[in-house]
Amino acid sequence: MAALDGDSDEDLVSYGTGLELLEEGERPKKPIPLQDQTVRDEKGRYKRFHGAFSGGFSAGYFNTVGSKEGWTPSSFVSSRQNRADKSVFGPEDFMDEEDLSEFGIAPKAIVTTDDFASKTKDRIREKARQLAAATAPIPGATLLDDFITPAKLSVGFELLRKMGWKEGQGIGPRVKRRPRRQKPDPGVKIYGCALPPGGSEGSEDEDDDYLPENVTFAPKDVTPVDFTPKDNVHGLAYKGLDPHQALFGTSGEHVNLFSGGPEGANNLLGDVGVNKGRKLGISGQAFGVGALEEEDDDIYATETLSKYDTILKDEEPGDGLYGWTAPRQYKNQKESEKELRYVGKILDGFSLASKPLSSKKIYPPPELPRDYRPVHYFRPLVAATSENSHLLQVLSESAGKPTHDPGTHSRHQLNASKRGELLGETPIQGAPTSVLEFLSEKDKERLKEMKQATDLKAAQLKARSLAQNASSSRPQPSSPDVGHCSWHVALSGGTAPVRASNFKPFAKEPEKQKRYEEFLVNVKRGQKDALECCLDPTMTEWERRRERDEFAQAALLYVSSHSTLSSRFTHAKMEDDSDQVEVPRDQENDVSDKQSAVKMKLFGKLTRDTFEWHPDKLLCKRFNVPDPYPSSTLVGLPRVKRDKYSVFNFLTVPETASSPATLASSEKVPQHQGPDKSRKPSRWDTSKQEKKDDSISEFLSLARSKVGPPKQESSPLVNKEEEHTVESVSDKVNKGVDSQTEGEGSRPSMDLFKAIFASSSDEKSSSSEDEQGDSEDDQEGTREADVKGSQETDLVETLSVAQASEPAPQEPAPFFPIQKIQIDEREEFGPQLPPVFCANARQKLEAPLKEKHKKNKEKHKTKKEHRRKKEKKKKHRKHKHKGKQKNKKSEKSSSSESTDSSDSQSDEEGAADVSPQELLRRLKRLPLRRQ
Amino acid sequence: MEDNNKVTPKRGFPGQKASVQATLRWQGREGGAMAFPEPKPRGPELPQKRLKTLDCGQRAVRAVRFNVDGNYCLTCGSDKTLKLWSPLRGTLLRTYSGHGYEKVNTVQFNEEATVILSGSIDSTIRCWDCRSRRPEPIQKLDEAKDGISSVKVSDHEVLAGSVDGRVRRYDLRMGHLFSDYVGSPITCTCFSRDGQCTLVSSLDSTLRLLDKDTGELLGEYMGHKNQEYKLDCCLSERDTHVVSCSEDGKVFFWDLVEGALALALPVGPGVVQSLAYHPTEPCLLTAMGGSIQCWREETYKAEDGTG
């Protein structure tokens, strides 16, 4: 600020504030040192400058990072409690509150961010404002402008611009012809009368003439019609202060305020002067000429008629007021057509298409010929034997049509003997390759009996598979009889009536289900061509054949397994929408064997199913029990996903269930073996009297084979070594079986045989029979192998595996833990072998085999001895039976003894031969424990 | 309720008569289980004075259970819910409703009363958490194929009998489920007091004593009649006898070891529906019709005259 020192120095101009004059004797003030200078904020608090004037971060004590007290914070606050609350610090945590205020670097108030603010200002108005500010007749008039016009453009404008819109243009598709009357350029004002139509229009017409056709123009800008009712007392069309016109006069309206008069020449002349010297300012009808206005000659001009149109023309000149109603006659036909299409900027070199694109035509896929087969099948080579003559016949009649029964006819599924049979070879009669040779006559008799039974069963099985085979392998109606007969036999052979209502294998496809039911009805009626007539004739041959196959299978399956299925199902627990269902991995298997076990009062492993079950973690916690499966997230039984409506789901049912079920059912089977085709034959079926003899032990052994490994380890009574050998062998066998064919299902382990053949001797466990029992056991051990070898030809391969694994002791068997081997070795030091065995001729034949048997025998020996001990104990106990209290101690000791002995020795008694006496003994022991 | 408490093999046990608080049983305090001594040795007394009647509003109540310290009790019944009561104050504390559409047959606290287990006709056992206010159960044991008739809990096991003829034992410590097939619909299961055996009664008028670990049959007890109703069975206080209700109005006692019938105690003309044995003393409660009877040994002399 300039201060004029008027009095003393009139001609001197001094800037700045003068120093105060010092009093006499006053010492000049010391300047306040830097650290004492304070600045206070609006609340009176000390404020320091840091960095730039207000933007920098506070840097602590004198722009150091520390505090006055030093580097440590004054009070330690443990962040342990709220570590989880605030883990990440944002920049705001280090900001002062000034920074968050309105003008800080991070204002909290809601403002328009740059993203949404228009970046480009309205340049024209900007310029006009500048101009107005410079030459304003009334200073500060532009303030009004600030009130009225927005400083920034709205987003809508921005968007329109992006789409190619420019200011002053209308919105819509570009038009071909130039508008009749071009809007004057914003900067140029035309004053005076409207130009005579002839001249100006002519010149524009000329313009039109040389314009090329492809140049289009933006449509005229349209001011929307104002619908507000007139509620004031002004005259008609009184506008008051129109800011556009008043302030800078850039509106498109051709306004002639000052040239209302009829004379035009001077106006034309005056235009230049007006344009040059005219100051923009407030102007309007309500305003007069300002004081600074130079031309005041004609300010009070009245409206003249010449300003109005007197002639009705076909087009309103210049204004777009018709736009809002958009009458048809004001538009070109071309425009109307174009209007429907793309509106907006069209890239260079492109134009709107005149014709619409023709839609793509979609052709249906070609129809397959009716007998088309996508796969070529080779005709299998079948030699004529007694068994497959039927099949041969079918094959020859079907003239090379495919067979699919990979289970019986694939090359890889055949074993050596079968291949040999197919090739017509005679079985090798040479050296005794089989242990069968060493059997006695009596045993051979027994075997033969069994073999006959199984052969019968196998024949039935074959007949059935043949039936399916035939029905599926006969796609053409050329040989209808054989195939139909086969499954007719199969269907009518079953005793169960055909009830279509319950079992719906094709419920997913109602059409198919309908056809299936029709098929069943036809079968019931005994029609020969039941399958043919119910199939859909529109399907391809291949589809038909598949469906025929499925129907035949489903019908067979339904008949055979109806009872099985009905016992398996309960009401639905899942919804029916999904294709897959979650089923427990381990199912409680069929109850039929369990029922028979219950009938025979054989509780225990037969009636018990053990599953892995995962308790909820919280449940374990509440029960104060450690979680048995800490790493699994599973709850309940392990579940697997399976297809819901797959025939193959059902097909596996009887096969998996067969091995456990057969034993239970075998009691009844032999009586009505012949007609019962629905049941699957099993190789475990033996003759009747054997059943009766060995049923108990059979059950028990079956139970043993069913018990899972963890269970075995938990019960100390089970002979571990024995189990392991058996397991390893049976594992191998099972592997072989698995690789072979699915139809085999799960095979009971070796000790089933052992139990069948050996248990009779186990039962009578008297001391005198020891040696004889041993030899018997051994014989039976081998016999069992022979039995298997002779039983079903399918099994030969697996048996060879089993036999190979059996006599090879040096095969280190990864199943054996090292400890087990040691125990085995220790066993060598057990009681001496009886010499009877050594005399056996088999010994010379195969040395490893002998060794194995030696071991076996030893085990048996120890087992026997142990059993003898037990027997004695039992007797002893029986003597003491009356005085329960007294022998409590001895009971305990004996039980501990028994566990001890079972640990050290090989003890068979736990699982293999739980005799009724044994059960009784346990029962007796039971209540005494807690008295 | 108009249904007559008969066991229908497919859908389990319908309700009991509404007026009867039929199955009153003792969860009682286990004699040696408490860690602290009894405050003062008192003479044996029997509950005779009626303190409270809880109006459960559950229609036929099927089971009532105390927790360990006796401050809470649970009821379940035909309204498909469990209700947790404070019996002394007579206030309803919680309602567990999750057994969707079926009646709840039985209910049980675990040993520490931290979990409630309820078995229902909807063939599930649900484990409810007493420690939280979760409305849904901790776990649902839905392996059974038919209604659950009986649930018993030991410290780490859950024993459940189902109408599908199986006794399932969930071993939490081992993480295994043992399912023993009995065949006939199970009406009641219980552990022996030594925890080695399970007693199973089924609708073929047979009680079976099964080895818990192996599932083998240790004894069979017959002679009573149980073909329609869900009757209870138990073991005597020292596991010497097997006790069972019967439909001919008697309570049968068998010698556990011999399997011989020791006593057929005539109770009344109707069906003895439920019974409970005292955990430490030879004292038996039976329920028949609308009444409950209490039985002591012959040498017993009631302190206050009545027995």
Side-chain angles (χ1 to χ4, degrees), chain A residues 608 616 622 629 922-923, chain B residues 129 139 175 180 213 216 218:
Chain A
R608 168 160 284 199
D616 195 280
R622 292 280 181 266
Y629 305 101
R922 264 188 222 170
L923 176 60
Chain B
D129 195 359
Q139 191 172 1
D180 285 323
D213 288 329
E216 283 160 7
L218 300 176

Side-chain angles (χ1 to χ4, degrees), chain A residues 793-856:
Chain A
T793 41
D794 274 351
L795 259 183
V796 168
E797 258 185 13
T798 71
L799 246 211
S800 67
V801 173
Q803 282 172 346
S805 70
E806 212 175 348
Q810 74 272 20
E811 196 171 312
F815 311 96
F816 285 62
I818 297 170
Q819 281 184 340
K820 293 280 175 283
I821 294 169
Q822 283 173 347
I823 288 171
D824 281 357
E825 282 170 359
R826 226 189 301 145
E827 266 188 345
E828 294 287 331
F829 300 106
Q832 272 297 323
L833 304 178
V836 187
F837 187 112
C838 301
N840 204 324
R842 216 182 314 157
Q843 201 184 2
K844 291 166 207 158
L845 196 74
E846 286 173 359
L849 191 67
K850 168 204 133 194
E851 204 174 329
K852 177 72 185 176
H853 282 302
K854 219 166 154 188
K855 242 181 212 172
N856 268 347

Side-chain angles (χ1 to χ4, degrees), chain B residues 214-231:
Chain B
T214 63
E216 283 160 7
L217 182 70
L218 300 176
E220 238 182 351
Y221 310 97
M222 282 183 285
H224 66 301
K225 186 175 171 230
N226 183 7
Q227 284 163 343
E228 283 179 306
Y229 294 86
K230 175 190 174 307
L231 301 186

